Amino acid sequence: MVGVLDTEGARADWTFSAEPDAVRTARHAVRDALHDWGLDELADVSILLVSELVTNSLQHASGPIGVRLVRLDTPAPAAGTAGPVRAVLRVEVSDPLSDPPRERAAGPDDEGGRGMQLVACSARRWGTRRGKTGKTVWFELALPG
């Protein structure tokens, strides 16, 4: 694992080899960063969703897997409308496969196919974007406060 943690709490980045222990290592890195930032209450859901996305990357892509945490403020509402600027935690998982994940309707006896449903139901927002050599799947969680 190669990682950078911004101790001021704005960003953390890691790159994991596409090996079976990447999921466990990513969970520990995310938990530690959120603890350092005083965001322990977001740890369980963040770790669950990171586990799903890193597992998807391991199953469908070969090559390095990137994980990034970014604390940011979403833009203020349009002029003349009320509403606060909302602080969010954006979590991104990148891999070299360009195909975006698909949200599937898994049957009650299916052993897989629920990962993206879990992301969609648990996150404030989520999406994908293509990069030069792959894709990034991201989700946002509202910061407490």
Side-chain angles (χ1 to χ4, degrees), residues 1-143:
M1 169 184 78
V2 176
V4 175
L5 176 63
D6 175 353
T7 56
E8 296 300 315
R11 190 178 101 185
D13 294 278
W14 303 273
T15 301
F16 303 97
S17 298
E19 297 175 2
D21 68 340
V23 177
R24 178 180 51 83
T25 308
R27 282 194 306 257
H28 287 289
V30 168
R31 182 179 298 283
D32 291 347
L34 293 176
H35 177 75
D36 290 347
W37 292 346
L39 297 174
D40 291 310
E41 64 190 86
L42 293 180
D44 288 342
V45 69
S46 298
I47 290 165
L48 175 65
L49 300 182
V50 164
S51 293
E52 289 294 333
L53 296 178
V54 171
T55 298
N56 283 352
S57 292
L58 283 173
Q59 289 177 338
H60 301 289
S62 61
I65 299 167
V67 176
R68 174 180 291 158
L69 306 179
V70 183
R71 291 179 63 160
L72 47 88
D73 292 327
T74 58
T81 62
V85 173
R86 290 202 168 99
V88 298
L89 174 69
R90 176 173 284 174
V91 180
E92 302 176 347
V93 177
S94 303
D95 65 47
L97 184 66
S98 60
D99 297 334
R102 292 181 299 123
E103 192 176 345
R104 300 185 308 174
D109 295 329
D110 291 345
E111 291 187 22
R114 293 176 183 82
M116 294 315 299
Q117 287 179 337
L118 187 60
V119 172
C121 291
S122 301
R124 181 177 166 266
R125 294 185 330 144
W126 76 278
T128 63
R129 69 175 181 273
R130 288 189 181 205
K132 292 179 183 175
T133 60
K135 68 165 175 318
T136 298
V137 181
W138 58 269
F139 64 87
E140 291 179 351
L141 302 170
L143 290 176

